Amino acid sequence: MTTLRDAAMNSKAWPFEEARRVLKRYEKKAPEKGHVLFETGYGPSGLPHIGTFGEVQRTTMIRRAFEIISDIPTRLLCFSDDMDGMRKVPDNVPDGDMLREHLQRPLTAVPDPFGEYPSFGDHNNAMLRRFLDTFGFDYEFASATEYYKAGKFDHMLMMCCERYDAIMEIMLASLREERQQTYSCFLPIHPRRGGFSMCR
């Protein structure tokens, strides 16, 4: 292992270079939670594809490189942004007319056009997990919808409310003038229609 670790510490391959950057954060002290969390995000607005695979694969490559150069345990979280609003109807799914009626609604509030799961978001999440399991990825899955409903984001949302002006100052500086007019760091769901506000 020492020879492999020595080689990894000197490797010019990008996963090892990224892993060394992560390790540098813990030179003085191991993470308080007892592990390093690697995370990859996924927007289930359409069926999983090779780009989705690439996101998880790249993160896994860095994680594996980190495990060679460090004894700190790791976890990989594959996070689904399934609370995002459906902005357009994918071309490769059935019943597009039905889906068009649900534009701007959270993906987990849009009916599944395949009729297999409670929602379109749930269908795509299941396909993603099947996809990743087929290739033997070691990961934990998380759903934004479940996190929001369980209150896991409440503390950070309150902090964003308290620091709204500072956040907006940073964000607006990064946007074009037209986008600045409608941007908000909050996107509430309409209590009756169930969809997001169009001003995002």
Side-chain angles (χ1 to χ4, degrees):
M1 181 65 156
T2 304
T3 305
L4 177 59
R5 183 166 288 183
D6 290 343
M9 289 301 287
N10 292 297
S11 173
K12 300 292 185 199
W14 71 266
F16 291 103
E17 291 185 345
E18 293 301 321
R20 288 192 297 269
R21 285 190 185 99
V22 175
L23 182 60
K24 190 166 186 164
R25 298 179 193 174
Y26 304 106
E27 281 179 330
K28 297 181 181 176
K29 183 179 174 186
E32 289 182 16
K33 57 185 173 277
H35 63 272
V36 172
L37 179 65
F38 291 83
E39 183 177 330
T40 184
Y42 159 70
S45 57
L47 306 181
H49 50 77
I50 195 66
T52 313
F53 174 89
E55 289 292 328
V56 182
Q57 176 63 23
R58 285 189 293 273
T59 308
T60 297
M61 289 170 73
I62 298 167
R63 178 189 183 193
R64 294 296 179 229
F66 182 86
E67 290 172 342
I68 291 171
I69 65 173
S70 171
D71 294 320
I72 303 172
T74 66
R75 291 171 53 206
L76 171 61
L77 184 68
C78 183
F79 192 88
S80 172
D81 292 318
D82 56 18
M83 197 77 168
D84 281 359
M86 187 173 69
R87 293 187 188 92
K88 65 178 184 176
V89 176
D91 296 330
N92 59 351
V93 298
D95 213 351
D97 290 338
M98 178 276 292
L99 288 175
R100 269 184 273 287
E101 296 175 14
H102 297 279
L103 289 174
Q104 301 305 321
R105 295 188 73 205
L107 291 160
T108 47
V110 174
D112 177 15
F114 297 93
E116 299 172 6
Y117 292 89
S119 73
F120 189 43
D122 290 318
H123 175 275
N124 293 341
N125 284 342
M127 284 195 65
L128 171 69
R129 296 176 81 169
R130 191 177 319 132
F131 188 49
L132 298 178
D133 292 345
T134 298
F135 288 98
F137 283 102
D138 175 25
Y139 69 97
E140 299 166 43
F141 182 81
S143 156
T145 300
E146 292 174 7
Y147 270 44
Y148 275 109
K149 287 183 176 179
K152 291 186 177 184
F153 292 137
D154 287 359
H155 175 72
M156 190 56 65
L157 288 169
M158 293 305 295
M159 187 180 296
C160 288
C161 288
E162 294 166 5
R163 301 177 185 177
Y164 178 82
D165 291 333
I167 292 169
M168 289 297 288
E169 185 178 344
I170 292 167
M171 290 304 301
L172 292 178
S174 70
L175 301 172
R176 284 179 277 183
E177 186 175 347
E178 181 182 334
R179 185 76 171 90
Q180 289 176 353
Q181 305 306 313
T182 60
Y183 181 80
S184 172
C185 59
F186 293 104
L187 196 59
I189 297 174
H190 194 282
R192 289 189 304 277
R193 292 195 315 265
F196 288 109
S197 164
M198 294 296 286
C199 62
R200 182 175 185 186

